[in-house]
Amino acid sequence: MTPTATTLFDVEPLRAAVASGHLLLTPNRRLASRIRAALVADARTGAVEGRATVVQTPSVLALTDWLDKLWQQLAFRGDTERGDRERGADTAAAGRWILNADQERVLWERVIRASPIGAALLRPAQAAELAASALRSIVLWRQWPLSSVQRGYFSDADNQCFLDWLAQFEVLCREQGCITQSERDHRVAVALRAKDIQPSQPITLVCFDELAPLYAELFAALDAETALIPARNHSAQVVACDGFEQQIRAGARWIQRQLTTNNTGPFALVVPDLNSQRQRVERILLDELMANHILPALPRQLPPVNFSAGEPLADTPVIQSALRLLSLLLPDISRADVLAVLHSPFIDGGTGDNAVNATAMAITRICDLLTDSVSGGQLRGVSAAIAERFEGWSFDRALQQLADYSRRAHLAHLRAPLSAWAEHFQQALMLLGWPGARTLDSLEYQQVSQWQELLAKLSAFDDVSGHLTLAGALTALRQLATARVFQPKTPDAPIQVLGLLEAAGLQFEGLWLCDMADDQWPPPASPHPLLPRDWQRRLRMPHCDAEREFSVAQQLSISLRANARSFVVSYQRERDDVERHVSPLFQDLPTVDLPVLKIILAEPFKPAIPVSTAGLQNFDPGAAPRLDLNVRARGGSAVLADQAACPFRAFARHRLRAEPLGEPQTGLSASERGVLLHAALQALWQPLQNSSALRACDEAELFRRADAAAVFALQQLPGVEHFGPRFIALETQRLSRVLLRWIELELERAEFEIAALEEERRFNFAGLDLRLRVDRIDRLPDGRVTIVDYKSGQSNSINAWLGERPEQPQLPLYALALEHEQQGSVAGVTFAQVRLDTPRWIGLGDEQLEMYGLKPVSDPFNEGTADWPERLQAWLSSLQALANEFIQGRADVEPMSPKSCQYCALPSVCRIDHEQLEAAAEQPGEGEL
């Protein structure tokens, strides 16, 4: 019989054992299920062909289910305490019920948290898993109970810590009347050896590559047979790929091609560590097998494959939402959780535009909070204020109902078992409208169903978890939901995606095995951290050393290859610039390229112009092609500012258009506050136009004008309505105070009038077509002008205009532009530092303008220039040099100072040596004026 996509197993070698009435034992339930299905299908086929008249249910069990069945026999006989009698324990408290894996972990965690060392651990849940696996290894390797000789190996601190935990764990188990699954197996083995119970059928082992000593001795005593499964491999090859994603794509395309000649399969894509890679693999397979899945009109889909690995139930979106909603019961709630809840489609927040706008405003309000956590009162206060403005937003009402319920049930001070908390959690989710008003899709429905099952079974943890607080119950629930694996129910498909261990024993028409490089397979040794290493090596426990890992990997590799007619091994040829080779376990296979397997992953590159006319050009390091002057450089004066700071920055920003992505911020950003300031000052001066009009205003009028300018500026800011009326009122008040403080300085200046506000003009400078914008130009009584640039920061200095590479060339450029139109028209340039705390003028001009807050050029610190015309000429020379550098293509990474890199967004592109930069920053610099 040829295996089909449903059976995944050829039962021909098992027919004799089945006919003899043998029980077939497998290492896992997946293989047992597949063999059982194959036997049923084979029996039906035989009935049709006349080989049989009755189809009997085949006797196939996974090892753990067989042991559980034998345990039930012991329990029925009342002889489950034999293991206790053997080790001299008190049989009055002998174990009677079996801890499942989740219950055992919870009990271990309870022990660990109560210990002095465990109380200091960051992840006690992970420590509990390690302790449970250590005990299982001890039992299965026949070291249970530990003798005094064996305990002598436990000498270091970690080993002693585990022994202390183990002693407390045994005490708790006796008190609760329970035992672990591994101890159940030990007791069953003792009973079988003593012939207290007998298997009802002879046993045949199927696809056991390795047996733990406890099981090996047991089956030897039972004279169990081992089924010999003949190899079916016809071809095997090795393929080198460029990366993990290419391996998955190539494997998918290879299987698709195989399916054109064999449309039933089954075929397998085997991925080591599939549990952690599942989402990535699923995304790639969706792209390969269902190219239209990204279309927004289509419902969510799964690729037409069967995955052996699921995902933690807690990580599915609908259950994530439930856990975050339950965190609203806590006194302090993570701001990230609140934002995720507001974004979630699984709450009933109402319908219509009002609900959408209310949710958006709630998100904005929460983002504005300066703390990482939000109290329940804060959240309800924000929601109540928004609900008053937007009718139909039901989330506010749900929050209030939740608070009332929590107060009535005294949840903040309650200590109760998990079964009681399950009822409170159900009620809380119902009040919050989870899982929302929309119809759930198939996957979400399955996830909600598993969640309901999980809550219904929480009573099974009452004895092992004890009475918990609200925070403790939520933590336990989250851990249980994480431990529960969600596996979508999907129909059988001809393509199986499996992990290494899940694929063992199954048979395929074709199998593609990924990630088999020499540094990954065999895997490195990883001895158990809680057990003595020498002891593990002596007993040959799992992962104890490289020799054992090689042996296990070799056996598994042979099994996978033997069970597939066509077998392909892939690996990544290079990683982190280091060449890699295929695993030594597959070096005997021939290596082929992807095209040999008729796999093409990308269309060959086709040049846009004939190769013969596309001559190569050589450029020196740090040099780029000369700028085409027919193409206008983007950025205005920023081109020269960046060229002065670092030639590479100018090249990357203004020729390659390399700009960083924006980062989310709470409240207004610095740039938005700058926009507000400019708009407010423009609104203030637009109706006044000169200093005389300003002085004519009394105090009340100045207050009115400042308030009006602030209101106008905020009205012009896009999206300001989402901040809410309270925020707008506070920001208006702040901006008005800044304007009034600045007006005090304006009143101290000599006479002037406004010549231009927010003026923009084009200026061809040294061959560059630049777009310039100036905040304000003041005309003086003598007809000349001063150019003003508003600044809201406080690190402003005349030094920004000086030197051969001025940091901020905007005002010098504008001065040169006006001088180009009319020589002698510019008297000075100045920063207007408009701040509430340190408002001031910082300017430079001729000696007659000190009354306007300008420093005379003849100042001895000013590079020795004698007068204002000489300063203009120095600017012309230095800025022309920068423009010529940019045009000629100078693009070397040469920051003017460490300060140039402080706020630069391109360090990952330029790859500057930060160690040298930091060393330079530590050197004493020149003082500022």
Side-chain angles (χ1 to χ4, degrees):
M1 172 188 172
T2 301
T4 67
T6 303
T7 62
L8 298 178
F9 206 88
D10 184 358
V11 297
E12 183 65 33
L14 304 179
R15 280 196 182 128
V18 173
S20 302
H22 281 225
L23 170 66
L24 304 182
L25 282 185
T26 66
N28 56 63
R29 287 173 178 154
R30 173 183 288 273
L31 184 56
S33 173
R34 295 301 183 179
I35 292 177
R36 194 180 301 114
L39 287 169
V40 170
D42 181 64
R44 288 173 178 166
T45 302
V48 172
E49 295 175 352
R51 286 193 280 113
T53 56
V54 178
V55 177
Q56 296 182 343
T57 303
S59 298
V60 187
L61 287 174
L63 175 59
T64 185
D65 293 330
W66 177 67
L67 291 167
D68 188 58
K69 194 173 180 180
L70 293 175
W71 172 260
Q72 297 303 324
Q73 291 184 34
L74 278 177
F76 181 76
R77 292 164 55 94
D79 198 23
T80 58
E81 74 277 6
R82 170 172 288 274
D84 291 295
R85 288 203 303 268
E86 271 203 351
R87 61 181 182 176
D90 180 9
T91 58
R96 289 294 185 274
W97 62 281
I98 311 300
L99 293 165
N100 62 34
D102 288 333
Q103 291 169 329
E104 183 179 356
R105 182 187 53 75
V106 169
L107 196 60
W108 272 111
E109 187 173 349
R110 181 176 165 187
V111 168
I112 291 170
R113 287 183 181 276
S115 68
I117 295 178
L121 291 177
L122 292 177
R123 297 181 177 179
Q126 280 76 0
E129 292 176 1
L130 285 174
S133 67
L135 177 57
R136 180 169 179 80
S137 294
I138 290 172
V139 175
L140 296 186
W141 260 254
R142 300 187 64 249
Q143 305 303 306
W144 183 255
L146 286 170
S147 66
S148 58
V149 175
Q150 302 292 3
R151 289 175 182 270
Y153 285 94
F154 289 71
S155 56
D156 67 24
D158 289 342
N159 302 159
Q160 287 294 325
C161 179
F162 169 68
L163 289 182
D164 293 341
W165 291 344
L166 180 58
Q168 292 302 313
F169 181 79
E170 289 186 271
V171 170
L172 275 181
C173 285
R174 285 196 295 271
E175 290 175 355
Q176 301 296 338
C178 58
I179 60 173
T180 65
Q181 289 184 351
S182 56
E183 190 171 353
R184 174 206 66 184
D185 296 351
H186 168 74
R187 295 186 181 208
V188 169
V190 170
L192 283 169
R193 287 198 301 269
K195 301 189 182 301
D196 289 341
I197 53 174
Q198 290 287 334
S200 59
Q201 299 170 269
I203 294 171
T204 295
L205 304 177
V206 184
C207 298
F208 280 88
D209 292 329
E210 181 186 34
L211 282 169
L214 178 70
Y215 302 140
E217 184 181 75
L218 170 62
F219 290 129
L222 295 176
D223 294 325
E225 299 179 6
T226 299
L228 298 177
I229 309 297
R232 59 206 311 270
N233 181 250
H234 290 170
S235 66
Q237 298 163 310
V238 172
V239 174
C241 295
D242 292 333
F244 177 80
E245 182 167 333
Q246 190 182 73
Q247 294 181 66
I248 303 299
R249 292 189 184 279
R253 296 191 183 188
W254 178 75
I255 292 174
Q256 282 183 297
R257 188 172 62 79
Q258 301 291 317
L259 284 170
T260 59
T261 56
N262 183 345
N263 59 7
T264 58
F267 294 93
L269 184 66
V270 179
V271 183
D273 198 20
L274 180 60
N275 287 328
S276 62
Q277 298 275 15
R278 172 177 170 144
Q279 290 186 346
R280 186 180 180 190
V281 172
E282 184 175 320
R283 174 185 59 80
I284 298 170
L285 291 178
L286 278 170
D287 290 341
E288 285 295 322
L289 305 178
M290 304 174 66
N292 294 332
H293 77 97
I294 59 173
L295 298 178
L298 295 178
R300 182 167 56 150
Q301 303 174 73
L302 289 174
V305 301
N306 291 138
F307 277 90
S308 68
E311 61 179 323
L313 183 65
D315 290 349
T316 60
V318 63
I319 307 305
Q320 254 186 5
S321 174
L323 292 169
R324 283 173 170 149
L325 283 169
L326 291 176
S327 71
L328 299 183
L329 290 166
L330 296 169
D332 290 314
I333 313 150
S334 162
R335 185 171 65 167
D337 281 345
V338 175
L339 292 174
V341 163
L342 292 170
H343 278 105
S344 173
F346 303 110
I347 61 172
D348 186 8
T351 57
D353 291 342
N354 270 5
V356 173
N357 292 334
T359 301
M361 180 172 288
I363 291 170
T364 301
R365 294 280 184 88
I366 297 300
C367 285
D368 284 341
L369 297 176
L370 300 179
T371 57
D372 291 331
S373 62
V374 182
S375 70
Q378 279 180 302
L379 182 58
R380 290 192 298 275
V382 168
S383 301
I386 294 173
E388 291 179 2
R389 181 172 176 181
F390 297 98
E391 294 183 3
W393 193 49
S394 55
F395 186 62
D396 166 61
R397 183 172 62 256
L399 282 178
Q400 190 57 53
Q401 290 175 342
L402 181 69
D404 293 342
Y405 174 77
S406 177
R407 188 166 49 253
R408 290 195 306 271
H410 307 289
L411 298 187
H413 307 288
L414 182 64
R415 294 186 68 91
L418 276 174
S419 57
W421 281 113
E423 297 179 10
H424 292 306
F425 293 156
Q426 284 275 52
Q427 183 66 24
L429 290 175
M430 184 187 71
L431 292 174
L432 292 168
W434 183 85
R438 70 175 180 83
T439 303
L440 301 175
D441 64 26
S442 173
L443 290 181
E444 292 164 349
Y445 181 81
Q446 293 179 48
Q447 290 155 7
V448 171
S449 298
Q450 284 204 19
W451 170 263
Q452 303 293 358
E453 292 175 10
L454 178 64
L455 289 181
K457 293 179 179 178
L458 284 185
S459 59
F461 295 88
D462 286 354
D463 291 335
V464 296
S465 64
H467 285 58
L468 301 173
T469 63
L470 170 59
L474 278 175
T475 299
L477 179 62
R478 188 174 291 106
Q479 290 174 351
L480 291 171
T482 301
R484 190 178 184 111
V485 176
F486 171 69
Q487 182 70 55
K489 295 178 181 178
T490 55
D492 264 326
I495 303 176
Q496 306 288 315
V497 182
L498 305 157
L500 278 168
L501 296 180
E502 291 85 2
L506 298 178
Q507 297 176 339
F508 305 95
E509 288 298 304
L511 185 149
W512 185 291
L513 179 59
C514 299
D515 257 7
M516 289 289 113
D518 53 0
D519 61 345
Q520 292 176 283
W521 190 253
S526 56
H528 200 291
L530 296 182
L531 299 177
R533 293 198 173 191
D534 290 342
W535 190 60
Q536 294 180 64
R537 283 194 288 269
R538 185 175 65 82
L539 296 171
R540 310 309 297 157
M541 285 186 169
H543 316 297
C544 64
D545 57 23
E547 182 182 354
R548 192 182 194 285
E549 289 297 284
F550 184 89
S551 175
V552 172
Q554 184 179 46
Q555 183 60 42
L556 184 54
S557 301
I558 292 172
S559 174
L560 291 174
R561 177 177 173 180
N563 286 333
R565 296 193 190 278
S566 299
F567 182 68
V568 178
V569 175
S570 65
Y571 71 98
Q572 185 175 335
R573 61 167 58 91
E574 183 179 297
R575 186 172 65 181
D576 298 331
D577 297 327
V578 176
E579 184 180 3
R580 306 159 85 219
H581 302 88
V582 72
S583 166
L585 296 175
F586 300 111
Q587 284 180 347
D588 62 312
L589 302 183
T591 300
V592 299
D593 294 328
L594 289 175
V596 174
L597 296 177
K598 300 180 181 179
I599 298 173
I600 300 176
L601 293 178
E603 292 295 326
F605 173 72
K606 298 178 180 179
I609 57 176
V611 175
S612 58
T613 63
L616 296 177
Q617 300 180 53
N618 295 320
F619 298 104
D620 295 330
R626 179 183 172 85
L627 177 69
D628 183 357
L629 295 181
N630 293 320
V631 179
R632 185 166 66 89
R634 184 186 64 168
S637 63
V639 173
L640 300 186
D642 288 332
Q643 187 71 26
C646 176
F648 179 80
R649 185 201 294 184
F651 171 71
R653 288 191 60 197
H654 304 287
R655 294 187 65 179
L656 299 183
R657 307 294 174 91
E659 292 291 348
L661 295 175
E663 296 184 4
Q665 298 188 31
T666 57
L668 293 177
S669 66
S671 62
E672 287 173 326
R673 291 192 183 277
V675 169
L676 280 178
L677 180 64
H678 281 69
L681 286 166
Q682 183 181 11
L684 178 70
W685 281 110
Q686 196 77 51
L688 293 172
Q689 289 297 314
N690 57 59
S691 56
S692 299
L694 181 67
R695 292 191 179 91
C697 298
D698 58 19
E699 185 176 354
E701 178 67 10
L702 289 177
F703 271 90
R704 187 191 66 78
R705 288 182 179 274
D707 285 341
V711 169
F712 173 82
L714 279 159
Q715 289 174 344
Q716 307 309 305
L717 189 66
V720 71
E721 66 277 2
H722 296 308
F723 288 96
R726 178 60 178 159
F727 175 87
I728 293 175
L730 289 172
E731 189 61 29
T732 301
Q733 183 182 10
R734 183 197 69 81
L735 191 55
S736 178
R737 291 176 61 203
V738 171
L739 293 178
L740 287 169
R741 182 70 180 91
W742 181 248
I743 287 173
E744 294 177 12
L745 265 71
E746 295 276 17
L747 291 172
E748 295 174 0
R749 298 177 70 205
E751 292 293 328
F752 66 91
E753 64 180 20
I754 303 296
L757 286 172
E758 301 295 334
E759 182 181 74
E760 183 175 315
R761 63 173 61 197
R762 301 280 287 274
F763 179 37
N764 191 291
F765 180 74
L768 290 178
D769 186 15
L770 302 177
R771 178 176 58 84
L772 304 177
R773 184 183 185 90
V774 69
D775 299 338
R776 185 173 119 196
I777 300 177
D778 291 350
R779 189 175 303 281
L780 308 180
D782 63 2
R784 293 183 300 168
V785 298
T786 58
I787 306 170
V788 180
D789 185 19
Y790 296 134
K791 295 291 184 183
S792 57
Q794 57 184 351
S795 58
N796 303 298
S797 168
I798 291 175
N799 286 349
W801 302 320
L802 304 181
E804 295 182 358
R805 309 184 77 83
E807 295 178 25
Q808 297 190 38
Q810 181 182 8
L811 290 184
L813 265 177
Y814 215 97
L816 293 174
L818 294 182
E819 281 287 316
H820 179 72
E821 294 178 2
Q822 183 179 352
Q823 190 172 3
S825 61
V826 179
V829 294
T830 182
F831 288 137
Q833 184 170 298
V834 186
R835 293 177 57 85
L836 193 61
D837 52 356
T838 55
R840 58 175 179 155
W841 294 96
I842 308 167
L844 194 64
D846 70 20
E847 296 181 359
Q848 302 175 8
L849 297 181
E850 290 190 57
M851 65 186 72
Y852 291 95
L854 305 185
K855 183 179 289 291
V857 175
S858 58
D859 188 286
F861 292 100
N862 191 14
E863 298 182 332
T865 48
D867 55 20
W868 178 245
E870 189 174 339
R871 166 47 48 202
L872 291 173
Q873 186 60 40
W875 280 340
L876 179 62
S877 176
S878 60
L879 295 181
Q880 279 182 337
L882 291 174
N884 288 331
E885 283 184 6
F886 183 77
I887 293 170
Q888 294 299 326
R890 182 185 171 190
D892 50 326
V893 180
E894 189 177 338
M896 181 170 56
S897 69
K899 182 180 176 182
S900 303
C901 297
Q902 188 173 2
Y903 300 108
C904 181
L906 303 171
S908 60
V909 182
C910 72
R911 302 184 183 182
I912 190 168
D913 187 340
H914 287 283
E915 291 183 0
Q916 292 183 5
L917 195 65
E918 290 169 3
E922 293 175 1
Q923 300 298 321
E926 298 181 2
E928 291 190 349
L929 292 175

